[in-house]
Amino acid sequence: MAAVAATSSAIADAALELIEVKYEILPFVIDVEDAMLPGAPILHDDLFTAGVEPKATTASNIAKRVAFKLGDVDAGFAEADVVVEGYYTTQAVHQAYIEPHACVVTVGSDGQSLIYSSSQGHFMVRAYCAKLLGMELSDIRAMPSEIGGGFGGKTVVYLEPIAMALSKQTGRPVKMVMTREDVFRSTGPTSGGTIAVKLGAKKDGTITAATAVLKFQAGAFPGSPVQPGCMTCFAMYDLKNVTITGYDVVSNRPKVAAYRAPGAPISTFATESAMDELALKLGMDPIALREKNAAKDGTKTAYGVTFQNIGYTQTLEAAKNHPHYTAPLGPNQGRGVASGFWFNIGGESTGAVHVNEDGSVSIVTGSPDIGGSRASMAMMAAEVLGIPVEKVRPVIGDTATIGFTHLTGGSRVTFATGMAVTQAAERVRDDLKKRAAMIWEIPVEAVDWKDGEAVPAGANAGGFDPMPLAAIALKAAKTGGPIIAEVSVNAQGAGPGFATHICDVEVDPETGHTTVLRYTAIQDVGRAIHPSYVEGQIQGGAAQGIGWALNEEYIYDKQGKLDNAGFLDYRVPVASDMPMIEAVMIEVPNPRHPFGAKGVGEVPIVPPMAAVANAIRGAIGIRMPHLPMSPPKLRAAMDAKAG
Amino acid sequence: MDLPQIESVASPRSRDSLPPWRDDAAWLAGGTWLFSEPQPALRSLVDLSAMAWPDLEPSASGLRIAATCTIAALEAFRSPADWPAAGLFGQCANALLGSFKIWNMATVGGNVCLSLPAAPMLALTVALDGVAWLWQPDGGERFLPMADFTVGPQRNSLRPGELLRAIDLPASGLRRRAALRQASLTTLGRSAALLIATLDESGGFALTITASTIRPMHLAWDSPPSSDELDARIQALLAETWFDDVHGTPAWRRHMTRRLAAKLHQELLA
């Protein structure tokens, strides 16, 4: 590997031209199924399939096998009155963040380094750089820059370690900025994959058995999201007999990266398309079929978790009763329904609450804000302290000023960081009560906190005027010094998220073009801390899913070279492609969070591909099992049907 | 984007002051493509904006469009009433993949010389029997029918150092009735098929196919063809004629071309 630093781009470009690289073209494989075939070119001589018995002894492109099982699927299929099977494929797609990767790094003569970069987690940036360059974590200070979109694509480092190495050598600050083409060619898309699904059911719609085999493209190194793909694909249903097998497969493509609900949209496209086929075969309403088999509190999933406090059936009920579901359709129009699941995560987060001398409040967290989390943090702290949200200013601290905080991803921030902030605010509130008690010279137990003020309670009720937060802050020096609290948590108990989407499309039989006419996304959001941001998350996820369904794909030539490395050729949906996406929020609070929050950002991208596919099936009577469902594919399918 | 490897920029004001041609140079008109991606082979730019060529010069014999005429200027042109085909100007501007803001910089000559199959200015100038006026590096000039200008995707008949000065649209072409149809994979996407049909007063019918083919295909009849004759000519095009890239498969482009041609036929001859 080589890297060039220069005082201008022109000099750097000229220097790059002086580097002559000779490539030896080795046998290669770029397709996931081809990579699994016997005799396929092996990418890594030291890669042996994990998760198989007996232990693998020969190198393979299959990095890992994942298997989940409940009951006896053979017995289940034997019980079935109807069986549907399908084989589905998806392509690698881009997270489509608008801001390319960029960083500025400086390494001082004392070895202390400073990184400014846009990422989904500056503690992650610090950790990777330290590991790759053999440095102590404490020698690196990573500063979070404002982020212009990530969607999972900024959960790893690409530039920072290189910039750091160059800065170390030159003793100068180093800036690196990717072009859009760089982003497409040298960062990770999400996986493409193949999914084989089989469902068996009784005539009344009870699913007796389900199987899925997932093969996910990892790129050149292991690490596809096949495990979450396996965890999520049937999690909406209470299945007694189910097996899910997943394969993480390497091939000669860029290493994949996370993308919103990693793995779930891919596998769910297949399983929810199969559910639609099952409903058709049974002659059942697709929502009724889902209701018949829906996961409820107490349902045990194939991956081992038993659900509590989930709101899936409520989303189905809301979908069934929504006017959209019964609105009339015109010629060449169809309606599709699909559901989705994301388990949501918690994990390590830190939040600090500082009461300033004038009574305003600062919040510091370690979570880069990619979806409006600062506003949610401020609202939660304001709620605990009983003060207007305008009095609270949230900021993102760097790695030297706030405790460790895991990535912004997996829909964890409002839950986990929110928990840390809430607990810190509660500690501050308790401290404020203590200070008021000290000033009033009464026991702290005799002080309540109401609407941002300390109020005497019990026997002292009415004995003193309420003391506002600002008044207590003004006297902080005399009551023990600054009023602050910092709380670190490893948050557990993230409430799982469920969604049901309804999609109407019209297919132009002449062109094969699909127009999304109407879209309703219904989601259990726990408690919506900031409803308009939740609505935005739902709309954004649905829009990305619609793009994935209809247009988006990394197009490689037969040599594995990307043909559409830019937004002119890689088409994401634009405003004029989309109808208004109606977001319906169902609130089934999560009892493990002080305000009932559940993660909301991942789930909305899970159902759309199947919802669109099911709508197209309704419009033209053809199942489209391969993404994207572009006009040429639809036209070809219509031609094939016509004979 | 910046082109940091550029070492010199010339801004000639007349033909006499054009610098000697060099292989690592490029003519700069609007720059909307030139500055849109790295140009590692370039070291020099020749900025044509100071030449101050008149954008549009209408006359009895037709319309001269300077190579540096912006799409916006062409779109805003108010044509004589007996030039109905000038209605295509706006339609072709709208067929350009780019915001209307791009129209203010992008030029007719740049679009033509880039010679992308989807270039709407190519479609326009071929359909209206345009002729390219080329300045040669030795001081000479030549004229080339626009139908022969492009030879393949991003390949054209320009010789090293030749400069497209203008495109002349004859009045006979502008006096035709004309209609345009366009298809792409997505709404407002890059054209996968862009067709223009024209009909003159004596019944001469012409169909120009672009975007779906590797270069513009100009099919002409002295008298209006039947719909079957039209379709047969399209179906007779060689398989390798149909363009294949990320914006549409050859089969789909061919399908769309036949559909759009049928609609144009119906519109002009119904």
Side-chain angles (χ1 to χ4, degrees):
Chain A
M1 193 177 90
V4 168
T7 53
S8 74
S9 299
I11 296 172
D13 284 344
L16 281 175
E17 284 188 16
L18 299 175
I19 299 173
E20 192 176 334
V21 183
K22 289 182 179 169
Y23 293 99
E24 181 187 356
I25 309 293
L26 300 173
F28 60 90
V29 59
I30 59 172
D31 177 76
V32 70
E33 295 277 16
D34 291 346
M36 295 177 73
L37 290 173
I42 297 295
L43 270 72
H44 306 285
D45 292 338
D46 58 350
L47 183 63
F48 301 91
T49 307
V52 293
E53 289 295 339
K55 199 172 173 183
T57 56
T58 55
S60 168
N61 290 331
I62 303 170
K64 184 174 72 173
R65 179 180 179 275
V66 180
F68 297 119
K69 182 173 189 244
L70 273 182
D72 179 345
V73 290
D74 291 336
F77 281 119
E79 263 187 89
D81 296 317
V82 297
V83 172
V84 296
E85 290 185 73
Y87 177 78
Y88 301 84
T89 63
T90 73
Q91 301 302 320
V93 299
H94 184 36
Q95 299 87 350
Y97 35 86
I98 300 302
E99 172 205 48
H101 300 256
C103 70
V104 174
V105 178
T106 179
V107 181
S109 56
D110 58 356
Q112 295 282 306
S113 64
L114 196 55
I115 304 171
Y116 291 89
S117 70
S118 159
S119 78
Q120 289 179 240
H122 41 299
F123 287 90
M124 169 276 299
V125 171
R126 182 181 71 162
Y128 276 129
C129 288
K131 186 173 182 182
L132 290 165
L133 296 167
M135 295 173 71
E136 296 279 336
L137 289 175
S138 56
D139 286 338
I140 301 172
R141 186 174 178 187
M143 316 288 289
S145 301
E146 205 66 38
I147 182 168
F151 309 110
K154 291 180 183 166
T155 54
V156 290
V157 290
Y158 296 105
L159 301 176
E160 292 89 340
I162 300 169
M164 186 171 278
L166 291 168
S167 179
K168 208 171 178 178
Q169 286 194 25
T170 60
R172 303 276 298 273
V174 171
K175 178 177 83 172
M176 293 185 75
V177 181
M178 286 194 186
T179 64
R180 182 69 62 199
E181 186 175 355
D182 292 336
V183 172
F184 271 93
R185 293 196 188 282
S186 57
T187 69
T190 193
S191 297
T194 70
I195 310 100
V197 183
K198 184 176 176 184
L199 295 173
K202 292 183 177 173
K203 283 178 186 164
D204 69 354
T206 305
I207 297 174
T208 58
T211 64
V213 178
L214 288 59
K215 300 169 184 174
F216 277 19
Q217 178 81 257
F221 299 95
S224 78
V226 73
Q227 179 144 339
C230 290
M231 291 163 66
T232 52
C233 65
F234 286 129
M236 295 79 77
Y237 304 111
D238 187 356
L239 303 177
K240 304 305 176 201
N241 306 301
V242 56
T243 64
I244 308 160
T245 310
Y247 298 95
D248 181 28
V249 183
V250 297
S251 70
N252 298 96
R253 290 196 193 198
K255 164 85 167 68
V256 299
Y259 181 24
R260 211 166 187 162
I266 303 167
S267 57
T268 303
F269 162 61
T271 53
E272 284 295 279
S273 293
M275 283 293 287
D276 199 56
E277 285 296 300
L278 185 61
L280 285 165
K281 201 159 183 177
L282 289 165
M284 275 185 85
D285 173 85
I287 291 181
L289 175 64
R290 287 170 172 81
E291 284 182 313
K292 182 87 181 168
N293 297 283
K296 303 174 183 68
D297 289 353
T299 292
K300 186 178 182 189
T301 64
Y303 69 92
V305 163
T306 299
F307 287 140
Q308 295 297 336
N309 304 298
I310 65 170
Y312 178 43
T313 56
Q314 290 90 327
T315 69
L316 291 168
E317 183 75 15
K320 191 172 59 181
N321 294 327
H322 195 285
H324 181 171
Y325 195 57
T326 48
L329 290 166
N332 302 314
Q333 296 179 0
R335 176 166 298 139
V337 171
S339 296
F341 164 79
W342 182 252
F343 38 85
N344 291 321
I345 58 173
E348 296 159 281
S349 280
T350 303
V353 176
H354 301 182
V355 176
N356 301 313
E357 302 91 292
D358 63 355
S360 64
V361 172
S362 299
I363 294 175
V364 187
T365 74
S367 296
D369 181 359
I370 59 174
S373 58
R374 276 173 293 196
S376 298
M377 299 301 136
M379 291 172 76
M380 285 187 274
E383 183 85 11
V384 171
L385 296 172
I387 60 176
V389 71
E390 293 79 11
K391 286 283 184 186
V392 183
R393 174 68 63 186
V395 298
I396 316 299
D398 64 73
T399 55
T401 58
I402 190 70
F404 179 82
T405 301
H406 193 50
L407 291 165
T408 296
S411 290
R412 62 173 291 281
V413 171
T414 303
F415 174 72
T417 307
M419 193 180 283
V421 166
T422 302
Q423 290 180 14
E426 287 169 348
R427 285 190 194 177
V428 162
R429 186 184 60 194
D430 291 346
D431 194 14
L432 289 164
K433 286 164 62 179
K434 270 188 211 164
R435 310 275 182 135
M438 195 183 295
I439 293 164
W440 285 330
E441 299 180 337
I442 62 174
V444 68
E445 297 77 19
V447 177
D448 274 351
W449 189 263
K450 194 176 173 189
D451 297 333
E453 297 179 324
V455 291
N460 296 299
F464 307 96
D465 288 337
M467 188 178 297
L469 184 149
I472 302 171
L474 201 61
K475 296 178 180 175
K478 293 179 181 174
T479 57
I483 303 167
I484 63 169
E486 180 166 320
V487 171
S488 292
V489 299
N490 186 358
Q492 304 298 312
F498 290 88
T500 299
H501 291 194
I502 311 168
C503 172
D504 290 358
V505 302
E506 180 170 325
V507 177
D508 183 333
E510 284 198 355
T511 66
H513 183 264
T514 300
T515 303
V516 179
L517 301 170
R518 186 173 180 180
Y519 203 97
T520 304
I522 302 152
Q523 183 172 322
D524 167 23
V525 299
R527 185 176 172 202
I529 303 296
H530 192 308
S532 60
Y533 274 143
V534 173
E535 183 183 29
Q537 289 282 350
I538 293 172
Q539 291 169 328
Q544 288 181 310
I546 290 169
W548 198 339
L550 293 176
N551 307 320
E552 295 182 38
E553 63 176 319
Y554 274 48
I555 299 173
Y556 293 92
D557 68 14
K558 288 178 182 171
Q559 305 302 309
K561 189 179 171 195
L562 187 63
D563 271 346
N564 57 339
F567 281 134
L568 281 181
D569 296 329
Y570 181 100
R571 179 61 145 66
V572 297
V574 298
S576 55
D577 293 327
M578 305 293 293
M580 178 64 189
I581 294 169
E582 184 181 349
V584 179
M585 290 177 256
I586 306 289
E587 293 196 309
V588 180
N590 174 12
R592 303 284 296 276
H593 185 273
F595 290 105
K598 292 177 179 173
V600 299
E602 315 292 306
V603 193
I605 199 174
V606 181
M609 290 120 79
V612 174
N614 296 343
I616 290 173
R617 171 68 179 80
I620 61 173
I622 298 173
R623 171 62 51 192
M624 297 298 294
H626 307 301
L627 296 183
M629 296 173 283
S630 58
K633 283 186 188 163
L634 260 70
R635 270 300 329 154
M638 285 187 275
D639 282 344
K641 185 185 179 192
Chain B
M1 75 169 53
D2 293 338
L3 299 179
Q5 80 291 352
I6 295 298
E7 296 161 353
S8 65
V9 179
S11 298
R13 293 179 176 277
S14 65
R15 186 168 187 187
D16 294 342
S17 58
L18 283 173
W21 183 250
R22 40 192 277 194
D23 289 340
D24 59 2
W27 303 115
L28 169 63
T32 53
W33 175 79
L34 206 55
F35 290 110
S36 74
E37 56 184 67
Q39 309 286 353
L42 293 185
R43 294 292 178 274
S44 172
L45 297 176
V46 182
D47 184 357
L48 301 174
S49 57
M51 300 291 276
W53 295 327
D55 284 336
L56 297 160
E57 297 176 82
S59 68
S61 61
L63 179 67
R64 169 159 290 175
I65 305 171
T68 49
C69 174
T70 63
I71 308 285
L74 182 70
E75 192 272 340
F77 177 66
R78 294 292 165 257
S79 65
D82 62 344
W83 287 1
L88 291 170
F89 296 174
Q91 290 177 284
C92 287
N94 278 299
L96 182 75
L97 179 64
S99 147
F100 61 89
K101 289 173 278 189
I102 299 294
W103 297 359
N104 293 320
M105 292 302 292
T107 61
V108 174
N111 189 254
V112 163
C113 291
L114 190 55
S115 298
L116 289 167
M121 296 301 135
L122 264 180
L124 172 74
T125 52
V126 172
L128 299 186
D129 296 339
V131 175
W133 174 21
L134 304 177
W135 281 0
Q136 296 173 305
D138 62 0
E141 60 185 23
R142 68 183 177 115
F143 294 87
L144 181 70
M146 285 305 298
D148 299 328
F149 187 87
T150 306
V151 296
Q154 292 192 268
R155 291 189 297 119
N156 56 44
S157 303
L158 285 173
R159 298 168 189 155
E162 276 190 330
L163 173 61
L164 175 66
R165 166 61 184 82
I167 298 169
D168 291 329
L169 300 183
S172 58
L174 289 160
R175 279 197 292 269
R176 293 189 200 138
R177 288 178 56 213
L180 176 148
R181 289 288 188 282
Q182 184 233 12
S184 65
L185 286 179
T186 54
T187 310
L188 306 178
R190 175 166 280 170
S191 298
L194 177 61
L195 279 70
I196 295 174
T198 62
L199 182 69
D200 65 28
E201 286 177 351
S202 64
F205 183 88
L207 178 70
T208 301
I209 304 168
T210 63
S212 57
T213 50
I214 57 174
R215 63 180 179 81
M217 305 302 295
H218 188 68
L219 312 178
W221 290 261
D222 291 335
S223 58
S226 69
S227 56
D228 288 343
E229 287 168 340
L230 177 73
D231 193 49
R233 283 283 293 275
I234 296 169
Q235 295 222 56
L237 293 174
L238 298 174
E240 54 267 32
T241 303
W242 301 102
F243 188 46
D244 186 7
D245 78 347
V246 299
H247 297 284
T249 60
W252 184 71
R253 289 175 195 264
R254 183 171 178 268
H255 166 85
M256 290 310 305
T257 300
R258 293 176 63 197
R259 293 280 178 181
L260 299 181
K263 285 178 183 292
L264 289 168
H265 184 266
Q266 189 176 22
E267 178 175 338
L268 290 183
L269 296 172

